[in-house]
Amino acid sequence: MTKQRTQEYKHRIDQALASPKLQEALHSFGDAYLVSRATAFAGLDFEELRRDIAVMKDEVREQRAELLTRFTDNARAAGATVYLAKTAEDANNYIADLAKKRGVKTVAKSKSMASEETHLNLALEKTGVKTVETDLGEWIIQLAGQRPSHMVMPAIHMFKEEVAELFGKVTGRDETAEISHLVRVAREQLRQTYLEAGMGITGANIAVVETGGIALVTNEGNARLVATLPKIHVALVGIEKLVPTLEDAAKVVRVLPKNATGQPMTSYVTWITGAVPCADNEKELHIVLLDNGRSALAESPHCRDALRCIRCGACANVCPVYQTVGGHVFGHIYIGAIGIILTAFFHGLDKAAEIVRACIGCRACVAICPSNIDLESIILHLRSVIGEEEGVGTAKSLVFRKVMRNRKLFHSLIRAASLLQRPVSRGERSIRHLPAYFSSLTEWRTLPTIAEKPLRDLLPQLEQKIDKPRCRVAFFGGCANDFIYPEMGTDLVKVLNHLGVEVYYPQEQNCCGIPALYSGDRETMVELAEQNVKAMLADNPDYVVTTCPTCTLALKRDFVEHLRDNPAWAQKAEELAEITIDISAFIHNVLEASEQLPAGGGSKQVTYHDSCHLRRGAGVWQEPRALLEKSGFRLVEMAHADRCCGFGGSYSFTSHPSISREITKDKINDIISSGAQLVAMDCPGCLIMLRGALEKKEANVRAAHTIELLAEKLEPPS
């Protein structure tokens, strides 16, 4: 069953990738969104705003039972009927039974992701009730027989020509594919629905405890018509939408439109407390509070922060995977990073399994989340859960548990591979073509070869002439630096020696464990964390430096997280985290040595690629730029400098190489468009990807790690 599910998912990926118009539309929106959002937040402290929302939402989660009771009491006092639905079926049954009792034949709906979650339309139609979506995007996808591909813009994947064809089937005439005309057609077709409907159904963005009222944040006037014209108004509201006060509600309203669509303000904010007057008719307001897995999510120590979500959809707006395949692939009902988590708790872990693995781990969603949710960490936890439930696959299990945990065996096999690669490398440092089954891996990039001698053999042979070292650092090389790019390590020694720093390489260090963790094998991650903590602290270094941001995060974040409950290792992991630092940050911030780097030897234009885990994980992005400029390079910023390169470790080789290829293509276009002769970066993984793609494209742009470029400045001119 698992194999069939995976095959079906990969088929959907292939279908999405076969639609370049889809990628064009999503990229165009994503680019425009970032510009609009930056303008909307100008002059505001986004970090402070999202900290406030996170604190408020956490308080709601902790006090949810009390707040639910108070909201219910206040809403009833204001004239509403309140029903707490434990499940989706429970909510649907309540609403369908209400419609039956009141003789409702037609329901007018405004946009509601909660109703998508419960499949409310289908439940109503089974009882003979006609449901009409009145939100423009929702009506379009209702006519198309689809589900939303975005939480805020449900029909973002469709083009005006497709919409014109759909509308033509309704009107019986050819409709012009002009947006203003299509909007006018929708108004004409939907207007009578508000008057005919016996029930109006909305969602709610906020439920205010102190008033017992709800708030709708919308860009179309249909929600107000749905809430006011029909005699019965039903609001289906997830219990996580509770906020204690109107002041807290204002915090959400202040951020939501800016982060959702890049608007300074939304078109309509509708506050409803009690039944809205309906001419001379008696009006009913029913608030259906939906649990459906939310209480279980609140009790999860690893995942509960997801309940902070205010449903802005921004995590999809910036997601390279979403921009490549769209929400019908990277989602179930809810899409994008937050959708992975909500799907697991609202619809079941099996529904989330494939999209959990589709996340590339770039942390773009974390940086933009207005509720300060560490979405990547939660997704990694879910991968571990799925790994325990379903396994990580026979091949990966063998590599991680039998090979990688045994450092000597692991490194011996890598050394052996350096000999076996000779027929395909032909003595070069890159592999341009692989045979047969593996050929697809080199169709769009070259691959680096394994070095003849790893860094662990080379570094002890280097003579370090430093009379009085400023400090002594241990170098955590990581697999790529050790076995693929050992010259990067020798360059690091050269630069640090020039700055008066002694470097040594702990021989007992092993893989950082990230490949295992990202594949769902937490057990191997823990074993490798213990090995590396012991190795790196053994000789009491002043600092531990790295050239790989993913390794940096492993040592600073993941080791601490996964050894937290182990009394033998928790404190040691904290000690290692405290002294671990990326090499650019070490030179610039700790040594304050930018001025000591030579700036001679000519000036070349260089553009800089921000590695995901360096900028959005370690918070390092200004430092390498400063070092390059101080060394005499002319920095030219590329478009989307912090957009993922598509590597993601095994993601680009075994998990989702087809998605990876498209993400890389975007990055390569940005690099070439910058006009720079060099592209610098601070991650060996990104270097594998970008150097390989540039070589395959035969682009006249060199890719290099920042430490390589700094070391070259120390060499006398030839």
Side-chain angles (χ1 to χ4, degrees):
M1 185 66 182
T2 302
K3 185 177 181 181
Q4 181 183 349
R5 183 191 67 203
T6 301
Q7 289 175 340
E8 290 173 354
Y9 187 70
K10 288 186 175 181
H11 177 65
R12 295 204 303 275
I13 290 174
D14 291 340
Q15 287 181 312
L17 293 178
S19 176
K21 285 182 68 178
L22 173 66
Q23 283 111 49
E24 181 184 349
L26 296 176
H27 278 74
S28 296
F29 166 73
D31 292 348
Y33 161 78
L34 288 173
V35 174
S36 299
R37 180 183 177 276
T39 301
F41 276 109
L44 298 174
D45 187 338
F46 176 67
E47 293 301 323
E48 182 181 358
L49 290 170
R50 72 178 188 160
R51 278 195 300 269
D52 287 348
I53 290 177
V55 169
M56 182 264 290
K57 284 287 196 175
D58 286 349
E59 290 174 355
V60 170
R61 185 192 69 234
E62 295 301 319
Q63 303 168 24
R64 62 189 182 280
E66 177 195 346
L67 294 175
L68 270 172
T69 300
R70 284 174 51 201
F71 175 82
T72 300
D73 291 344
N74 291 336
R76 285 172 177 164
T81 300
V82 181
Y83 180 76
L84 178 60
K86 292 293 185 183
T87 65
E89 183 181 17
D90 191 10
N92 290 346
N93 288 342
Y94 177 86
I95 298 170
D97 288 346
L98 178 64
K100 184 177 180 181
K101 289 175 184 176
R102 301 295 189 269
V104 172
K105 300 299 182 185
T106 301
V107 166
K109 285 182 74 253
S110 73
K111 185 178 175 299
S112 165
M113 284 304 299
S115 72
E116 296 285 348
E117 174 188 333
T118 67
H119 302 290
L120 177 59
N121 288 12
L122 182 61
L124 288 171
E125 286 165 12
K126 285 181 178 178
T127 64
V129 177
K130 177 185 177 184
T131 60
V132 180
E133 297 287 354
T134 63
D135 172 88
L136 177 58
E138 289 283 350
W139 189 52
I140 291 169
I141 63 169
Q142 184 180 37
L143 294 177
Q146 299 178 5
R147 60 176 175 83
S149 66
H150 192 283
M151 287 194 289
V152 177
M153 296 153 285
I156 191 174
H157 61 288
M158 297 192 71
F159 296 88
K160 58 186 180 180
E161 292 78 13
E162 296 174 272
V163 175
E165 185 178 346
L166 281 174
F167 285 8
K169 292 178 181 178
V170 174
T171 63
R173 59 177 184 260
D174 290 335
E175 301 294 352
T176 306
E178 294 177 0
I179 293 175
S180 59
H181 171 74
L182 295 173
V183 171
R184 189 162 55 249
V185 171
R187 284 182 182 148
E188 292 170 354
Q189 293 297 316
L190 293 172
R191 190 167 294 153
Q192 191 63 28
T193 300
Y194 302 114
L195 302 173
E196 295 175 351
M199 177 185 289
I201 298 177
T202 71
N205 298 91
I206 306 165
V208 185
V209 171
E210 72 174 350
T211 65
I214 61 173
L216 305 175
V217 182
T218 64
N219 273 322
E220 298 176 30
N222 66 302
R224 287 185 177 177
L225 294 171
V226 167
T228 53
L229 291 180
K231 294 179 181 180
I232 304 167
H233 173 204
V234 175
L236 180 59
V237 188
I239 59 175
E240 81 282 8
K241 299 294 183 67
L242 290 173
V243 302
T245 67
L246 282 168
E247 184 180 347
D248 293 319
K251 293 176 183 177
V252 176
V253 173
R254 191 181 188 195
V255 170
L256 182 56
K258 295 179 178 66
N259 221 60
T261 56
Q263 296 170 275
M265 292 181 66
T266 194
S267 301
Y268 301 93
V269 180
T270 305
W271 303 90
I272 300 173
T273 303
V276 177
C278 184
D280 297 328
N281 298 313
E282 191 172 326
K283 180 84 174 185
E284 294 182 52
L285 170 61
H286 295 255
I287 300 175
V288 180
L289 296 170
L290 179 65
D291 190 321
N292 197 40
R294 287 160 175 81
S295 291
L297 181 53
E299 294 298 326
S300 168
H302 297 287
C303 305
R304 63 190 181 190
D305 285 355
L307 284 175
R308 297 174 183 171
C309 177
I310 61 174
R311 303 293 193 274
C312 68
C315 54
N317 298 349
V318 296
C319 174
V321 177
Y322 176 83
Q323 291 182 356
T324 302
V325 297
H328 287 158
V329 174
F330 195 43
H332 179 63
I333 299 299
Y334 294 100
I335 54 89
I338 191 65
I340 294 171
I341 304 160
L342 300 184
T343 297
F345 281 87
F346 298 173
H347 300 284
L349 199 59
D350 62 315
K351 298 291 194 301
E354 299 302 332
I355 52 178
V356 162
R357 298 186 182 106
C359 170
I360 198 170
C362 71
R363 294 184 66 82
C365 55
V366 179
I368 209 161
C369 176
S371 305
N372 215 19
I373 307 169
D374 192 337
L375 292 154
E376 188 210 16
S377 291
I378 300 175
I379 291 168
L380 286 178
H381 169 73
L382 291 176
R383 278 191 187 169
S384 296
V385 173
I386 291 170
E388 292 168 3
E389 294 279 336
E390 300 183 355
V392 298
T394 304
K396 283 187 176 182
S397 182
L398 176 65
V399 171
F400 295 149
R401 302 187 178 188
K402 300 298 183 183
V403 176
M404 197 173 281
R405 293 189 196 182
N406 185 332
R407 183 186 61 79
K408 290 183 179 179
L409 174 61
F410 178 38
H411 291 169
S412 296
L413 290 175
I414 296 177
R415 291 173 188 270
S418 70
L419 302 175
L420 295 174
Q421 71 189 355
R422 289 177 180 174
V424 291
S425 66
R426 296 181 176 86
E428 298 179 6
R429 284 302 307 273
S430 60
I431 299 170
R432 296 187 173 274
H433 303 284
L434 284 173
Y437 177 79
F438 301 101
S439 62
S440 62
L441 296 176
T442 51
E443 283 177 356
W444 50 281
R445 62 182 169 189
T446 64
L447 295 175
T449 58
I450 298 167
E452 289 186 12
K453 280 191 175 182
L455 180 61
R456 61 182 54 246
D457 291 353
L458 295 175
L459 199 146
Q461 300 171 8
L462 295 179
E463 186 178 2
Q464 301 186 50
K465 296 180 180 179
I466 310 170
D467 293 334
K468 295 181 179 179
R470 296 172 62 175
C471 58
R472 181 169 172 267
V473 304
F475 179 29
F476 187 85
C479 301
N481 203 152
D482 195 352
F483 291 97
I484 297 176
Y485 299 126
E487 64 277 8
M488 193 185 298
T490 58
D491 284 340
L492 177 141
V493 174
K494 184 187 299 183
V495 172
L496 290 186
N497 284 179
H498 174 77
L499 299 174
V501 176
E502 181 184 345
V503 184
Y504 74 97
Y505 197 88
Q507 292 291 313
E508 299 298 311
Q509 64 179 279
N510 199 348
C511 172
C512 69
I514 288 294
L517 181 64
Y518 276 54
S519 296
D521 186 354
R522 180 182 179 276
E523 188 179 319
T524 294
M525 172 64 179
V526 170
E527 168 65 28
L528 293 175
E530 292 174 358
Q531 290 182 25
N532 285 310
V533 168
K534 181 180 179 181
M536 301 313 293
L537 293 180
D539 291 327
N540 299 312
D542 296 309
Y543 295 94
V544 172
V545 296
T546 69
T547 54
C548 173
T550 304
C551 293
T552 306
L553 277 195
L555 273 62
K556 289 185 72 68
R557 179 194 70 182
D558 298 316
F559 288 7
V560 173
E561 172 65 25
H562 294 284
L563 297 176
R564 187 187 306 280
D565 298 324
N566 188 327
W569 292 100
Q571 185 177 345
K572 294 176 182 177
E574 293 277 5
E575 290 174 11
L576 177 58
E578 187 67 26
I579 61 173
T580 297
I581 188 168
D582 168 77
I583 186 60
S584 289
F586 179 68
I587 295 171
H588 190 269
N589 298 336
V590 177
L591 300 180
E592 298 180 340
S594 298
E595 302 295 339
Q596 299 175 40
L597 297 169
S603 177
K604 288 186 177 180
Q605 279 194 337
V606 60
T607 192
Y608 187 80
H609 160 67
D610 288 288
S611 303
C612 298
H613 284 163
L614 189 65
R615 179 158 186 165
R616 292 186 286 268
V620 175
W621 58 281
Q622 294 172 313
E623 293 88 342
R625 286 173 167 83
L627 293 177
L628 290 167
E629 289 190 303
K630 289 293 184 181
S631 297
F633 292 98
R634 288 183 291 129
L635 187 64
V636 179
E637 291 290 350
M638 73 173 85
H640 319 115
D642 64 346
R643 184 175 285 171
C644 182
C645 73
F647 181 62
S650 63
Y651 192 96
S652 66
F653 292 98
T654 59
S655 300
H656 295 86
S658 56
I659 295 177
S660 184
R661 180 190 65 224
E662 296 304 312
I663 296 173
T664 304
K665 183 171 68 176
D666 294 334
K667 176 60 71 171
I668 294 299
N669 289 338
D670 286 336
I671 291 170
I672 293 173
S673 297
S674 75
Q677 303 157 287
L678 291 166
V679 55
M681 62 209 70
D682 280 65
C683 173
C686 295
L687 189 60
I688 289 172
M689 202 65 166
L690 297 181
R691 181 178 284 176
L694 287 166
E695 284 181 354
K696 198 70 173 184
K697 195 177 179 67
E698 298 184 348
N700 191 27
V701 182
R702 178 191 169 199
H705 195 287
T706 297
I707 200 67
E708 294 181 79
L709 299 178
L710 299 184
E712 288 170 10
K713 289 289 184 176
L714 298 175
E715 298 173 0
S718 55

